[in-house]
Amino acid sequence: MALTLSNPARRRLRTLGFLSPWLIGFSVFFAYPLIATVYFSFMHYNQIQKPDFVGLRNWRYVFEQMPLFGPALWNTLWLVVVMVALRVIFGLSLGLLITKIKTGAGFFRTAFYLPYLAPPVAATVAFVFLLNPSTGPVNEVLAHLGITGPNWFNDAAWAKPSLVMLSLWGIGDLMVIFMAALLDVPREQYEAAELDGAGAWSKFRYVTWPSITPIVMFAVVTGVVQTMQYYTQALVAGKIASGVSIGPGSVIQPGYPDHSTLTVPQLVYSMGFQNFNTGAACVLSLVLFAIAMAVTMLLMRKRSGLLAAED
Amino acid sequence: MTSTTLSPAPTPTAAPAGASRQRGPAAARARRKRVLHWIAVHCVAIAVALLFILPFVFVFLTSVMSDSQAMSGDLWPDSWHWENYKAVFETDGFLDWWKNSLLYAGLGTVFTVCSAIPVAYALAKFRFRGRRTAMILVISTMMLPPQVIVIPMYLVWAQQFHLSGTLWPLIIPMAFGDAYSIFLLRQFLLTIPKEYIESAKVDGCGELRTLLKIIVPMAKPGIAAIALFQFFYCWNDYFGPQIYAAQNPASWTLSYGLESFKSAHSVNWNLTMAATLLVMAPVCIVFFFAQKAFVEGVTLTGVKG
């Protein structure tokens, strides 16, 4: 290796110098708060009086008594399963479609990609309007077709599926990742398969799929982690759809309607910054941490490309 | 890496016509099959594209309706009320939200780029003990939900530094490296052959000069990608401003303000939709000028290995 300096000590110093922004950032803005979160999870602390050690009481409260923990966890897991599965299937289908397009590929790619760029709050506000049961264009169009549209964000049974639709509208990033992976499949393999008389399905099953499996795995794992943090869209949709005028400081029951859009991250916010129950909020944070960490480990163990190209 | 452009210009190909030079019934059958395939693919593509674009169209049409028509279920405006956009800009605070969004996204981007470049370079090109561990830590922080660490961080900024009610608690940490940007830039730097660095060494360049004179110019596409992603991350961020700026409307960003805008104009879907489009506009404009950097950035995160 050519990057040698005259002595190892100087080299070590140089490495530390280049890494220092991250080393400082990691310790101050990540390691410290993580340890503090564990500390606060054993404290009774309302952010005014001094923290008070209470042992496992916060943990027991969250898992045994907290009325909203069950619904929040259920919603989060529901979204993780349904949203990630549909996003991967839909993203892959769009990727396949876009690689088959011969005319106007640039136009179609831009059209499919653009919604991904819409700021989440703006996209959510727009979707609550579009899916407004009485005045929204979607139900209006459905009515012209003789279909009575559902109440979407205003119906506990339809609120989460509406969020899934919003998420599928913003599928552009996954589509691009899958498109690049599909274009990287060696052409000769398709030709060989064709010579063997393979149809479209066999070509997908025996040529395309094995070569894109790492990317699918990557999409699933990052999708799970992203959905674990699902916050903005669920919160904004619930607030706007409830139609309540919300000024700063006013507290509404999160997860309208009927806690159907309440997710664990929202519960962290509401516990920590509205109820000032720091201990419970930190316990909830650590639940999120444990799940996200487990998924991240899986990602790195499966070697889905993240640490590849090491040398 | 596959280079992909999202340019709206259609790619000319000779798919349906001139596909085969042979004659005879078999060739004709193959050609017919190809034409049918072409038609089927494009019909599906047009249908899907409509579904993706229609939300923008409906939002736009509603944004130019009169107050009363916006509350009806009408799809097409009777008369075009462009003054709705003026009304949005004249709303209290709207211009401040623009200023704050630009401050947060602009400074955040500059800080992130400046701090990510040396770290990504060291992780991509230096050999040292603990390099793999460092990468694993970078990826772990990248994957963790922001809610995990927000409470102690908030307490520090609010109680020690008295900076709650401002955007500084969001901007300052970006001067200390952002995991996602470091990771993405490192992936890009891995593609630069080490011979360039070696020959710079031979010419007597120190590490810092090599980075600034050789690597940074070569890594421009990668740097453009992290700058764009960071800009949009800040522009779109809702959680951060909600934590730190919520109690002080003078510090709200567009993303955070939009929701309260809707609440304040609870019946005016037309104004809300106009405001929504105004929040989306900068993102779309920047995208049209920087499509390539974008798409390369997205692929870079997914398609290595």
Side-chain angles (χ1 to χ4, degrees), chain A residues 11-35:
Chain A
R11 208 165 63 192
R12 216 168 296 138
L13 213 62
R14 175 204 67 181
T15 305
L16 277 179
F18 276 73
L19 289 177
S20 59
W22 175 72
L23 286 173
I24 297 170
F26 181 81
S27 344
V28 177
F29 302 114
F30 187 78
Y32 157 73
L34 196 56
I35 295 165

Side-chain angles (χ1 to χ4, degrees), chain A residues 109-110 135 225 231 239, chain B residues 5-6 71 125 143 242 259:
Chain A
R109 258 179 275 171
T110 309
T135 66
V225 174
Y231 179 81
K239 276 185 169 182
Chain B
T5 8
L6 282 176
M71 293 203 306
K125 297 294 179 193
M143 304 296 274
Q242 187 192 25
E259 182 218 318

Side-chain angles (χ1 to χ4, degrees), chain A residues 1-3 14-15 18-19 21-22 24-26 28-30 32-34 36-37 40 45 47 90 94 97 100-123 125-130 132 135 137 140-141 144 168-169 171 173 176-177 179-181 183-184 215 218 221-222 225 228-229 231-232 235-236 239-240 244-246 248 265 268-269 272-273 278 281-282 285 288-289 292-293 296 299-300 304-311, chain B residues 2 4-11 13 15 37-38 41-42 44-46 48-49 51-53 55-56 58-59 62 71-73 75 115 118-119 121-123 125-128 131-132 134-141 143-157 159 173 175-176 182-183 186-187 190 194 197-198 201 207-208 211 229 235-236 238-239 242-243 246 252 255 258-259 262-263 269 272-273 276 279-280 283 287-288 294-295 298-299 301-305:
Chain A
M1 191 63 199
L3 298 182
R14 175 204 67 181
T15 305
F18 276 73
L19 289 177
W22 175 72
I24 297 170
F26 181 81
V28 177
F29 302 114
F30 187 78
Y32 157 73
L34 196 56
T37 301
F40 283 127
Y45 183 39
Q47 303 178 15
F90 189 49
L94 268 195
L97 176 67
K100 297 264 185 298
I101 290 175
K102 300 280 165 48
T103 314
F107 164 76
F108 286 112
R109 258 179 275 171
T110 309
F112 298 161
Y113 189 75
L114 213 50
Y116 163 67
L117 295 171
V121 176
V125 172
F127 258 62
V128 175
F129 161 71
L130 294 167
N132 189 306
T135 66
E140 191 67 23
V141 171
H144 281 296
L168 291 180
W169 187 59
I171 197 78
D173 56 336
V176 169
I177 287 174
M179 181 180 77
L183 291 173
D184 274 350
I215 305 300
F218 171 84
V221 176
T222 49
V225 174
M228 291 301 306
Q229 332 178 351
Y231 179 81
T232 306
L235 177 75
V236 172
K239 276 185 169 182
I240 302 281
V244 183
S245 251
I246 321 141
V268 174
Y269 177 81
F273 297 95
T278 312
C282 286
S285 302
L288 268 188
F289 174 79
M293 210 55 210
T296 308
L299 172 72
M300 287 192 277
S304 312
L306 273 187
L307 281 177
E310 191 71 35
D311 292 295
Chain B
T2 327
T4 36
T5 8
L6 282 176
S7 98
T11 335
T13 48
H37 183 254
W38 186 92
V41 165
H42 285 78
V44 174
I46 289 168
V48 178
L51 283 178
F52 273 88
I53 294 169
F56 288 114
F58 284 137
V59 166
T62 305
M71 293 203 306
S72 69
L75 301 177
S115 58
V119 180
Y121 177 57
L123 287 175
K125 297 294 179 193
F126 291 3
R127 307 197 137 244
F128 55 90
R131 187 167 86 137
R132 214 187 133 77
M135 260 330 279
I136 289 176
L137 289 178
V138 167
I139 293 172
S140 308
T141 49
M143 304 296 274
L144 277 172
Q147 290 84 13
V148 170
I149 51 164
V150 69
I151 288 163
M153 264 348 284
Y154 173 81
L155 294 174
V156 170
W157 287 112
Q159 297 178 349
F176 298 96
I182 292 172
F183 170 70
R186 172 205 177 248
Q187 299 299 89
L190 286 175
K194 62 174 188 286
I197 302 167
E198 281 164 16
K201 289 282 144 52
E207 246 357 299
L208 206 59
L211 175 61
F229 279 117
W235 191 268
N236 294 342
Y238 175 89
F239 184 66
Q242 187 192 25
I243 297 293
W252 287 1
S255 273
L258 182 60
E259 182 218 318
K262 171 62 193 128
S263 309
W269 277 115
T272 306
M273 290 302 109
T276 302
V279 177
M280 290 183 184
V283 179
F287 172 72
F288 275 109
F294 241 113
V295 174
V298 170
T299 10
T301 46
V303 186
K304 275 285 145 213

Side-chain angles (χ1 to χ4, degrees), chain A residues 73-201:
Chain A
L73 193 63
W74 162 249
N75 292 333
T76 302
L77 295 178
W78 190 99
L79 287 167
V80 164
V81 173
V82 177
M83 213 182 254
V84 174
L86 289 180
R87 275 178 65 88
V88 169
I89 293 169
F90 189 49
L92 183 55
S93 313
L94 268 195
L96 282 167
L97 176 67
I98 207 93
T99 55
K100 297 264 185 298
I101 290 175
K102 300 280 165 48
T103 314
F107 164 76
F108 286 112
R109 258 179 275 171
T110 309
F112 298 161
Y113 189 75
L114 213 50
Y116 163 67
L117 295 171
V121 176
T124 310
V125 172
F127 258 62
V128 175
F129 161 71
L130 294 167
L131 297 175
N132 189 306
S134 50
T135 66
V138 171
N139 276 9
E140 191 67 23
V141 171
L142 288 178
H144 281 296
L145 302 172
I147 303 167
T148 312
N151 282 337
W152 304 110
F153 285 110
N154 294 84
D155 178 341
W158 278 92
K160 280 192 290 290
S162 307
L163 288 172
V164 172
M165 282 171 56
L166 170 61
S167 160
L168 291 180
W169 187 59
I171 197 78
D173 56 336
L174 263 193
M175 176 198 73
V176 169
I177 287 174
F178 280 129
M179 181 180 77
L182 290 166
L183 291 173
D184 274 350
V185 181
R187 295 227 57 82
E188 311 85 64
Q189 291 189 14
Y190 286 117
E191 282 156 23
E194 265 165 45
L195 285 179
D196 291 343
W201 169 249

Side-chain angles (χ1 to χ4, degrees), chain B residues 237-278:
Chain B
D237 189 16
Y238 175 89
F239 184 66
Q242 187 192 25
I243 297 293
Y244 292 105
Q247 61 276 55
N248 177 12
S251 295
W252 287 1
T253 61
L254 272 179
S255 273
Y256 188 71
L258 182 60
E259 182 218 318
S260 75
F261 182 89
K262 171 62 193 128
S263 309
H265 298 79
S266 51
V267 288
N268 301 102
W269 277 115
N270 52 348
L271 295 188
T272 306
M273 290 302 109
T276 302
L277 282 179
L278 287 171

